[in-house]
């Protein structure tokens, strides 16, 4: 698989915040987020500028499992980049993780643009659909981002997982300000998402930026019945790789 980094840390976002987890970060993304305030994606080394500085590159699934087993933890978070770009390999990876530990709890973090069998093989899908505020206007990636940002068919399939009761789903939106709420509510209506499955997360890649947006995000959650999630890894370590 195309891997950017493997590391052991705590989950920093969403309903499993604080749980010790082994992170498998895949390389490459089909979007190029550039948020309205000027922040790029928080992992540009997997999207805007995919690199192999850690000399990890392609790894066999057996090598990933061997790293997982060194950390003796239950939770695995598969994140990116966009992991679903390697959807066949994801199925194999989940099978191998369950073989290694029958109690493993697998969270897959995705931007929700690609659906596949992997969705039935994980325990929690953490879907973070990107809003208009993520479009890299005026860059060479504007068109490709706009083309890929919303896959209606994939989103319908992801949203039906809850009614099928197969996989838990949380919908996590990067919150840049009040203007996002209209788009979130339209999305919620279109894909029949319950308030309790929605998390708003302040947009920011430094402690200072999160501090500046936190209260506004919490207030938006309280007025709309959504959950709030912070970005614990940034609060704890700042904008660092491997945490
Ligand atoms: S979808 Fe995620 S990984 Fe891809 S560019 Fe946007 S923030 Fe980065």
């Amino acid at each position: 698989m195309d891997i950017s980094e493997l590391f052991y840390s705590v989950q920093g976002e969403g309903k499993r915040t604080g749980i010790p987890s082994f992170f498998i970060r895949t390389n490459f993304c089909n979007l190029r987020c550039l948020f309205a305030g000027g922040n790029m994606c928080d992992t540009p080394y997997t999207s805007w500028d995919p690199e192999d500085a850690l000399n990890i590159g392609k790894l066999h699934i057996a090598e990933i499992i061997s790293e997982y087993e060194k950390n003796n933890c239950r939770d695995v978070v598969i994140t990116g980049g966009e992991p679903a770009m390697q959807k066949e390999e994801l199925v194999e990876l989940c099978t191998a993780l369950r073989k290694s530990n029958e109690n493993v709890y697998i969270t897959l973090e995705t931007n929700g643009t690609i659906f596949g069998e992997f969705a039935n093989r994980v325990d929690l899908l953490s879907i973070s659909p990107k809003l208009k505020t993520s479009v890299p206007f005026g860059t060479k990636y504007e068109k490709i981002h706009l083309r890929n940002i919303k896959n209606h068919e994939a989103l319908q399939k992801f949203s039906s997982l809850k009614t099928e009761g197969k996989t838990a789903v949380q919908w996590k939106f990067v919150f840049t300000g009040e203007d996002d709420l209209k788009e979130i509510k339209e999305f919620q209506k279109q894909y029949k998402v319950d308030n309790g499955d929605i998390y708003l997360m302040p947009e920011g890649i430094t402690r200072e930026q999160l501090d500046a947006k936190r209260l506004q995000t919490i207030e938006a959650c309280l007025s709309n019945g959504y959950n709030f999630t912070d970005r614990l890894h940034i609060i704890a370590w700042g904008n660092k790789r491997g945490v």
Side-chain angles (χ1 to χ4, degrees), residues 12-230:
E13 300 171 1
K15 66 167 78 175
R16 293 183 81 77
T17 294
I19 296 183
S21 305
F22 179 67
F23 285 77
I24 302 171
R25 187 185 302 290
T26 62
N27 209 355
F28 305 115
C29 187
N30 56 350
L31 298 181
R32 295 290 184 279
C33 296
L34 180 62
F35 293 97
N39 281 334
M40 272 183 169
C41 159
D42 59 347
T43 56
Y45 49 91
T46 65
S47 56
W48 283 86
D49 192 16
E51 60 179 52
D52 192 14
L54 302 180
N55 282 324
I56 289 183
K58 281 203 185 287
L59 274 189
H60 289 296
I61 285 171
E63 294 173 283
I64 300 171
I65 299 298
S66 152
E67 285 303 308
Y68 166 59
E69 286 172 350
K70 284 180 194 165
N71 290 286
N72 192 28
C73 67
R74 179 186 182 214
D75 269 58
V76 173
V77 180
I78 305 171
T79 188
E82 178 43 60
M85 290 172 77
Q86 304 179 65
K87 57 183 185 175
E88 279 84 23
E89 291 93 337
L90 280 184
V91 174
E92 284 176 52
L93 177 61
C94 291
T95 305
L97 284 166
R98 293 198 192 284
K99 201 169 158 199
S100 161
N101 175 2
E102 61 180 14
N103 292 315
V104 69
Y105 190 97
I106 305 173
T107 298
L108 178 82
E109 299 184 331
T110 174
N111 59 26
T113 59
I114 302 169
F115 187 85
E117 172 55 24
F118 63 83
N120 297 309
R121 305 297 181 98
V122 302
D123 298 290
L124 172 65
L125 276 161
S126 181
I127 307 173
S128 185
K130 295 300 178 282
L131 304 176
K132 288 191 195 98
T133 48
S134 71
V135 179
F137 290 112
T139 72
K140 65 177 178 176
Y141 292 110
E142 180 180 337
K143 275 193 189 141
I144 191 168
H145 188 97
L146 283 168
R147 194 165 61 231
N148 290 342
I149 192 170
K150 193 167 178 184
N151 179 342
H152 177 61
E153 200 184 321
L155 289 169
Q156 275 186 320
K157 287 182 179 164
F158 280 124
S159 81
S160 69
L161 288 170
K162 185 171 176 183
T163 33
E164 290 164 16
K166 285 185 184 161
T167 310
V169 181
Q170 66 182 13
W171 301 84
K172 203 171 60 184
F173 291 92
V174 174
F175 187 74
T176 64
E178 290 289 310
D179 291 349
D180 295 343
L181 288 170
K182 186 166 173 268
E183 204 179 336
I184 293 168
K185 284 184 178 301
E186 278 165 13
F187 184 96
Q188 190 178 4
K189 198 169 157 203
Q190 187 173 14
Y191 297 106
K192 301 182 179 62
V193 180
D194 294 337
N195 281 0
D197 293 331
I198 292 188
Y199 287 75
L200 301 189
M201 180 171 76
E203 191 271 319
I205 55 173
T206 64
R207 290 182 187 118
E208 294 72 23
Q209 290 172 353
L210 293 179
D211 287 348
K213 289 254 168 65
R214 182 172 295 111
L215 195 54
Q216 190 191 7
T217 312
I218 292 173
E219 281 167 356
C221 288
L222 290 174
S223 335
N224 292 281
Y226 299 148
N227 303 296
F228 170 79
T229 176
D230 224 311

